[in-house]
Amino acid sequence: MESNADKLRGLTITSLDEEDDEPELPHQPPSASGGGGADDEDDDEEEEEVEVTLGFLEKPKSPGLLLRHLFPSKAGGIPAWLDPVNLPSGNSRCCGFCSEPLQFVLQIYAPIEENAAAFHRTLFMFMCPSMACLLRDQHEQWKHRQGNSCRSVKVFRCQMPRSNAFYSSEPPKHNGSDKPLCLGAPVCHWCGTWKGDKICGSCKKARYCSEKHQTLHWRSGHKSDCLQLISSSEASSSVLPAVGKVPASKSWPEYEIAIDYEGAFDSDSNDESNSKSLVMQRPGKPDDMIQSWMDQFEADADNKCWASFQERVSRAPKQVLRYCRESNAKPLWALSAGCPSTADIPSCNYCKGPMCYEFQIMPQLLYYFGVKNEPDSLDWATIVVYTCQGSCNQNVSYKEEFAWVQLYPTATTRP
């Protein structure tokens, strides 16, 4: 990769077709108010088609490619924090229902070329792995105008100018010499995600984001490690496992996000049988379940929306992410019921400006994460993310954006 400033923008993605080609930006800078509500759907046919970027998961060729100073887009594992020091803290890092620390889902490197303050810009999604909390979240999202609503899905935006305290102003060389300018804040030795602001009272070495994670780490082997650390005259790094090794079994599998444009997939290449082999199928979820959903929507307003969703997704069944920040971009809804209107999308919490649709995650992500098909397993139709249209640069390192959860009809009736 060429070492000039323009090439830095290409670090967002990797090409599915030609590894040596320079990847393009995943979006265009916002120029007008973003819509995305259900009441805008009638105008779809009249509007110009926007170019949607699709995200696909690939096993990383090397774990070193997903480090924070290389500005990765990735799913699973632990986050590569853009600002490694001023991490989200307090209740913002916890589920609003069960109060447990949230689990990392994915991050998207999405700089805005014409916004100097967003030369580096990454969006981070976190989620509570409990389906019971996600069900409550779907209802709570309608209450945002009544005050700070509880959420089990949270998205944070972090951005910074080219000249900053954490990274070189020159693009990475990708020759093994790239290094961040400073160390990050110590993180939890159990989850590897949140700031470790609690310290083990015995060894004074291990750090945790919560009492629960401290307990889990103690039971999983730190009890023995702790005694060795106390008795050792020198605390060896070989005694205390490095952050990233312990939480690996507790986090979702790590993948790199590679992209291609939806227009590259010919809809005519998918025959009828392929169209019925849908993206939301996961191991253990048979075709007759899909058919039962279709029967349930017969002669219903959801039928048209569901069929459109299925046809669109069947062009690239492995997609886990849809991204488009153009001013007239809209989400791809699975159902017409439960969609927000424009009035349901809140203003930015920081600048009070409008928010616009930026990306959505698809149910196929659950397959890659190995989520089991059980009654209480995590499941969704889609989760849509709205971000500040102006990508405001307030004095907060990680600004919380707005996520809208849409579940399947069967999920909403669970006890």
Side-chain angles (χ1 to χ4, degrees):
M1 184 172 290
E2 298 178 23
S3 57
N4 59 63
D6 292 336
K7 298 295 184 183
L8 184 58
R9 293 306 196 247
L11 293 172
T12 310
I13 53 178
T14 57
S15 172
L16 290 177
D17 300 322
E18 300 180 28
E19 294 182 0
D20 294 332
D21 287 351
E22 176 195 356
E24 298 180 25
L25 277 174
H27 66 276
Q28 296 295 326
S31 58
S33 176
D39 53 1
D40 296 324
E41 291 179 357
D42 294 338
D43 299 329
D44 286 351
E45 296 181 359
E46 301 176 5
E47 294 181 349
E48 183 181 351
E49 191 79 11
V50 296
E51 188 169 46
V52 177
T53 298
L54 304 181
F56 304 87
L57 298 188
E58 296 181 345
K59 278 295 184 182
K61 299 177 181 64
S62 168
L65 296 176
L66 302 181
L67 299 177
R68 62 180 175 87
H69 56 280
L70 299 179
F71 313 108
S73 291
K74 62 187 290 287
I78 58 178
W81 293 110
L82 185 60
D83 179 341
V85 175
N86 304 296
L87 309 185
S89 60
N91 292 334
S92 65
R93 62 188 180 185
C94 297
C95 174
F97 304 105
C98 67
S99 299
E100 298 294 340
L102 297 172
Q103 193 163 323
F104 174 65
V105 178
L106 56 74
Q107 65 185 75
I108 306 170
Y109 182 66
I112 298 178
E113 186 174 4
E114 297 179 0
N115 185 343
F119 184 88
H120 295 301
R121 179 176 178 269
T122 301
L123 303 172
F124 298 83
M125 175 180 281
F126 298 86
M127 180 184 298
C128 178
S130 167
M131 185 62 194
C133 292
L134 190 63
L135 284 167
R136 296 178 66 183
D137 188 287
Q138 187 193 33
H139 296 287
E140 192 72 17
Q141 64 192 3
W142 296 93
K143 303 177 182 178
H144 66 85
R145 293 189 179 278
Q146 302 174 12
N148 292 328
S149 57
C150 297
R151 301 304 305 269
S152 72
V153 179
K154 296 183 181 181
V155 177
F156 297 96
R157 168 173 55 89
C158 182
Q159 63 190 43
M160 60 185 64
R162 180 171 183 171
S163 177
N164 60 79
F166 306 116
Y167 309 103
S168 169
S169 59
E170 296 301 317
K173 297 180 177 63
H174 295 278
N175 60 3
S177 66
D178 301 312
K179 302 289 182 183
L181 298 182
C182 68
L183 296 175
V187 295
C188 176
H189 270 85
W190 178 251
C191 69
T193 297
W194 306 108
K195 183 179 290 187
D197 45 19
K198 299 180 185 297
I199 302 176
C200 176
S202 298
C203 68
K204 310 295 184 183
K205 298 294 182 182
R207 290 177 171 268
Y208 306 100
C209 65
S210 64
E211 291 184 5
K212 179 179 181 179
H213 284 189
Q214 182 175 7
T215 300
L216 291 171
H217 194 212
W218 181 264
R219 293 174 179 174
S220 70
H222 181 61
K223 180 178 181 179
S224 174
D225 295 339
C226 192
L227 293 175
Q228 294 181 52
L229 286 167
I230 295 172
S231 60
S232 174
S233 58
E234 291 185 355
S236 171
S237 59
S238 63
V239 177
L240 185 62
V243 172
K245 293 183 179 179
V246 173
S249 62
K250 299 302 176 182
S251 60
W252 284 308
E254 186 175 54
Y255 295 90
E256 183 176 8
I257 298 178
I259 71 109
D260 207 340
Y261 293 97
E262 188 176 39
F265 297 89
D266 185 359
S267 59
D268 294 335
S269 65
N270 296 283
D271 57 28
E272 184 177 355
S273 61
N274 284 336
S275 295
K276 291 181 179 179
S277 180
L278 305 172
V279 67
M280 58 287 300
Q281 291 190 52
R282 306 204 305 275
K285 183 167 287 186
D287 290 341
D288 57 358
M289 176 64 78
I290 303 295
Q291 186 59 50
S292 71
W293 286 336
M294 293 298 291
D295 294 341
Q296 185 175 349
F297 299 147
E298 189 70 22
D300 187 80
D302 277 325
N303 189 30
K304 180 181 177 181
C305 187
W306 177 259
S308 176
F309 179 84
Q310 297 291 43
E311 187 281 326
R312 192 83 174 263
V313 169
S314 67
R315 302 178 193 178
K318 294 182 179 181
Q319 61 183 280
V320 301
L321 173 75
R322 298 177 65 85
Y323 185 102
C324 186
R325 204 172 187 270
E326 294 185 29
S327 60
N328 58 338
K330 292 181 175 61
L332 180 63
W333 296 107
L335 310 169
S336 59
C339 294
S341 67
T342 301
D344 290 318
I345 307 304
S347 299
C348 174
N349 287 330
Y350 307 94
C351 69
K352 308 305 179 184
M355 304 187 86
C356 65
Y357 163 67
E358 185 154 357
F359 74 92
Q360 65 189 105
I361 61 171
M362 309 300 283
Q364 186 69 352
L365 182 61
L366 296 162
Y367 166 77
Y368 288 97
F369 280 175
V371 176
K372 296 179 180 179
N373 182 40
E374 297 176 350
D376 295 330
S377 294
L378 199 61
D379 200 6
W380 63 73
T382 188
I383 300 178
V384 177
V385 175
Y386 298 86
T387 61
C388 175
Q389 179 183 309
S391 198
C392 65
N393 191 38
Q394 304 297 317
N395 192 28
V396 179
S397 290
Y398 287 89
K399 304 165 188 65
E400 189 170 345
E401 303 289 13
F402 184 72
W404 190 274
V405 177
Q406 187 176 65
L407 304 181
Y408 295 117
T410 51
T412 59
T413 59
R414 293 179 187 174

